[in-house]
Amino acid sequence: MAQSGSEVAAGHDLATPGTPMAPPAARRFAPGGLVRFIPVVVLIVFALWFGSSQAQNRAWLPLGIEFFYIAAAALGVNILLGYTGLLSLGHFGFFVAGGYAGAIFTPYILGGILGVNAPWFGFIVAFAFGALLGTLLALMCCHLRGFYLTVVTLAFGTLIPAIITVASAQLGGAGGRSVDKFPDTTNFLLARGNALAGIYYVAVIFLFATIFIVWNLTRSRWGRAFMAIRESELAARSSGVNTYWYKVASFALSAGIVAVAGWIGALRYLSVSAGSAGNVSTQSFRYLVIIVLGGIGTIAGPVVGAIGITFGFGLRWVQEHFREYNGLLFGALGIIGVATAPEGLVGNMRKAVRDFQRKQVQKGRARVRSVVVPDLPAELTLPRSRSLGSDDTPMLEVTGLTKRFGGLSALSELDISVKRGTVHALIGPNGSGKSTFVNVITGIYEPTAGRITVNGEIVNDLSTHKRNALGIARTFQNLQVWRRMSILENVMVGAHSRSKGSLLRSISGLNWVEERRIRNKAWGMLQFVGLAEKGLAEASTLPFADQRRLEIARALASDPSLLLLDEPAAGLHPTEIHELVALIRRVRDAGITVLLIEHHMDLVMGLSDTVSVIDYGIKIAEGSPEEVRHDRRVIEAYLGTDEHV
Ligand code: ADP
Ligand code: MG
């Protein structure tokens, strides 16, 4: 535990299991560092070089503009697809909407009604309109699962051209309308009197702003919540994330960014149109191909993909040879790319670098990277349970709790009262309703009847994330670790209910004091469960037993009063079970009430203060472990199912 302020080797993604830890001084592959910024510097140099050398080139300059705004739009789509895990096939609709909003609202609302002549406001207008439209669409579809949501976005994409055709007097019909009020870009930055070059620099600035936003987002409370939703929405809800609103926010942000790209596109062509419904689908699909070929869920990926799609397709040779076959080439690239390399160029490069580093470590030519764990107290801070309620209010009390699935009663008229500060075991044979109990208590399932009181407060009507904020945390029988996030990030999301920071603060990087607090807290939880030295590795690299401990650390990060452990020992070796028992004791000693769901009786014997036994959803016995062990009905229930007691 006493790792305060010291360096410990980390990065198990680099070390193979069994590889001895490197001595602390090794810093060869130190995480972070300035190396990460090389791609950004290269992009800046490229943008400046291209802008100055191609300023007069009427073929390449427009391609350059297109690259910068399409890359930014793809980054926007990637917030939804790559980080939040939601597939939209209608995002080009926001591109079109942004163009129209800039073209119509800027002059007529700002100029005509409010009397403000501020053409540069078009960017804000486009963002706001896109985000608003995205919010409205998301409000209608974010409660839907998987492909239902995608179908709604597809429908949205087909609606846009139809609306434009219907309102042809205002919107210009299929042919679109011209943009007649636009910002004067002739002297923007390095444009030197060339309006098109000015638009180029606008697009450049927009891409860098988007990179800045996404960079901050992915290192913030909001971005981590998005990724948690992608990896397991169930676990995200249970960890205090209001998943519906976070999905809506992700939608809105991504729509807003794409809409700004649409306004820049409108400035480049000085007209706006949507084309046909088919065009909207094709263009929306284009973003996906860009993202997937480049590398989904990365920042460099969409940018690299956009280079290929814009400059690659812009090459004279490609234009000449594939003029007729553009769609063919494009579709084939999509299929081949996704089928052979779903992680994309950047994802695969990353993998290759990691493999190379791992080999170097194995050969003894390099050391695993090291990480500095901040100064931390070794003990867990006392949870809120001490300050809440009077001491004899039960931590959890259920009365008449019933849950039916169709004709099956998974829980029947259960009365259970869990005393504050104790370890209360709930045991029963397989299928007796234990996990259902946890799901009803945490609000994943709504009870058919009965009352649930936590710390004296009735929680029946609270949603899952609110119950987490109230002090209920859980682990899962079937592990729900967010596999493609780091171990540390997993625990940081665990603290979601106990942290704050708006989306605006998150994307602008202004929440760093709070971020540091959350990170330090997460390190503390990892130390508590004994995983600190692996904190920076990806959660998927953890062995099974460690994933169980990670779930406990994540649950503890929400400062729970009541911790529900759903069969935490399932699948563990005897030594690992021994460690688990010690860990649960330490959790109890920190003042947290533990409800331990178990299948076997032996584990709970030395550990629990009270044991409740259920069979077919009915409570058949309750008392001290000794009393329960000798209860006739309990023995029968277990004998009847061939389980050993
Ligand atoms: P345990 O955790 O004690 O093994 P469960 O709570 O998982 O048992 O299941 C109790 C009973 O409820 C089982 O018969 C199971 O098939 C049923 N059940 C659990 N969840 C659902 C569900 N979502 N829909 C229908 N039946 C369910
Ligand atoms: Mg179960």
Side-chain angles (χ1 to χ4, degrees), residues 253 377 381 529 566 592 594 630:
L253 181 61
T381 45
V529 303
D566 194 354
I592 296 170
V594 178
H630 298 109

Side-chain angles (χ1 to χ4, degrees), residues 405 408-410 428-437 439 445 477 566-567 597 599 614:
F405 294 110
L408 176 99
S409 282
N430 256 335
S432 54
K434 303 182 297 295
S435 294
T436 304
F437 185 78
N439 285 330
Y445 295 156
Q477 181 178 353
D566 194 354
E567 303 211 17
I597 309 291
H599 167 76
I614 59 171

Side-chain angles (χ1 to χ4, degrees), residues 109-266:
I109 294 189
L110 285 179
I113 301 173
L114 300 177
V116 190
N117 183 19
W120 287 97
F121 271 96
F123 296 95
I124 294 170
V125 169
F127 182 87
F129 187 68
L132 179 70
L133 210 55
T135 304
L136 291 178
L137 184 65
L139 286 175
M140 286 188 284
C141 72
C142 274
H143 62 287
L144 299 172
R145 273 168 207 283
F147 74 90
Y148 290 106
L149 180 138
T150 303
V151 170
V152 174
T153 62
L154 196 60
F156 165 75
T158 33
L159 263 181
I160 292 284
I163 291 172
I164 291 169
T165 312
V166 170
S168 61
Q170 297 80 21
L171 305 177
R177 59 165 285 154
S178 62
V179 175
D180 30 48
K181 289 260 173 33
F182 44 86
D184 177 13
T185 56
T186 42
N187 285 309
F188 184 66
L189 292 186
L190 307 169
R192 296 199 197 92
N194 177 347
L196 199 61
I199 294 170
Y200 169 82
Y201 288 109
V202 167
V204 169
I205 298 282
F206 174 50
L207 176 60
F208 283 104
T210 308
I211 290 175
F212 177 76
I213 285 174
V214 178
W215 171 278
N216 286 325
L217 179 70
T218 53
R219 282 155 186 76
S220 77
R221 174 175 186 271
W222 280 76
R224 283 189 302 272
F226 289 171
M227 290 185 261
I229 291 172
R230 175 191 72 195
E231 300 290 298
S232 162
E233 193 170 338
L234 182 65
R237 282 165 68 198
S238 304
S239 301
V241 179
N242 183 344
T243 53
Y244 179 73
W245 281 107
Y246 273 71
K247 287 195 274 184
V248 171
S250 170
F251 224 110
L253 181 61
S254 102
I257 290 173
V258 174
V260 175
W263 175 229
I264 297 177

